[in-house]
Amino acid sequence: MRPSVIRGNGSEIIALSKASVGATKGVDSFHESMDAMEAAKTLAQSSGAIIAVSGAVDIITYGHQGVGARNGVPMMQKITATGCAVTALVAAFVAVDPLHALEATASALPIFRIAGEMGMDMANGPASLRMHFIDSLYNLDQASVSSRLKITSL
Ligand SMILES: Nc1ncnc2c1ncn2[C@@H]1O[C@H](COP(=O)(O)OP(=O)(O)OP(=O)(O)O)[C@@H](O)[C@H]1O
Ligand SMILES: Cc1ncsc1CCO
């Protein structure tokens, strides 16, 4: 199997790259995404996949430079399965343009996080964030993405 993109939290990417033997915590992460930067680059080079690490900053790398997606709200972590959901969004973006999987991944992650920010503007906690987040993703437009986008090179 040669996946185009591997998305995990910091602990998962470190475990996959075998860069660390530290404890992991199942579906949640003990490590911050930036702790997994070197592991992500190593895994990208050994697997040939684009690596996306979710966390306070989402990281996207193909093994050399990286992109950091800095939008979002921490309460997204309190909704179980947002990790799987953002992975599904990445898959959908890559399916539209498979020859540009890096750009597709670097678009899907910040868009997911921007929808989280917009959902949080209307939410009172994780349950209402889940609802408002899905509504925000559904209603998202180019102007909202352009005005909110926070990405940097790493
Ligand atoms: N500290 C944070 N601040 C803002 N957004 C975050 C933070 N940590 C994670 N996220 C966002 O939350 C979503 C889920 O990422 P997370 O790292 O929690 O995945 P996961 O551990 O695989 O989750 P799951 O519980 O679904 O298995 C992603 O969109 C990610 O960008
Ligand atoms: C914990 C969990 N529940 C549904 S999917 C999933 C893992 C990734 O989000």
Side-chain angles (χ1 to χ4, degrees), residues 7-12 25-29 31-33 53-59 69-87 108-110 112-113 133:
R7 196 290 313 170
N9 62 41
S11 294
E12 290 162 344
K25 193 184 150 206
V27 295
D28 286 325
S29 187
H31 294 91
E32 238 325 307
S33 51
V53 193
S54 53
V57 177
D58 283 352
I59 295 168
R70 296 176 182 274
N71 290 94
V73 287
M75 201 175 286
M76 289 292 275
Q77 297 167 92
K78 303 291 184 199
I79 308 172
T80 300
T82 46
C84 290
V86 72
T87 305
L109 267 61
F112 192 89
R113 292 172 72 105
F133 159 69

Side-chain angles (χ1 to χ4, degrees), residues 15-140:
L16 273 179
S17 76
K18 301 193 194 321
S20 163
V21 290
T24 63
K25 193 184 150 206
V27 295
D28 286 325
S29 187
F30 272 148
H31 294 91
E32 238 325 307
S33 51
M34 293 301 275
D35 299 341
M37 187 69 191
E38 288 311 309
K41 288 182 176 173
T42 303
L43 182 61
Q45 287 166 9
S46 63
S47 67
I50 291 152
I51 308 301
V53 193
S54 53
V57 177
D58 283 352
I59 295 168
I60 304 103
T61 183
Y62 61 92
H64 301 282
Q65 291 113 316
V67 174
R70 296 176 182 274
N71 290 94
V73 287
M75 201 175 286
M76 289 292 275
Q77 297 167 92
K78 303 291 184 199
I79 308 172
T80 300
T82 46
C84 290
V86 72
T87 305
L89 191 70
V90 169
F93 274 51
V94 173
V96 170
D97 197 354
L99 296 179
H100 294 95
L102 181 66
E103 291 84 347
T105 306
S107 301
L109 267 61
I111 280 174
F112 192 89
R113 292 172 72 105
I114 286 169
E117 280 178 6
M118 294 171 71
M120 197 66 222
D121 289 345
M122 297 176 278
N124 295 308
S128 50
L129 175 57
R130 182 172 177 274
M131 179 180 75
H132 289 301
F133 159 69
I134 294 170
D135 285 354
S136 298
L137 195 57
Y138 179 78
N139 289 314
L140 205 61

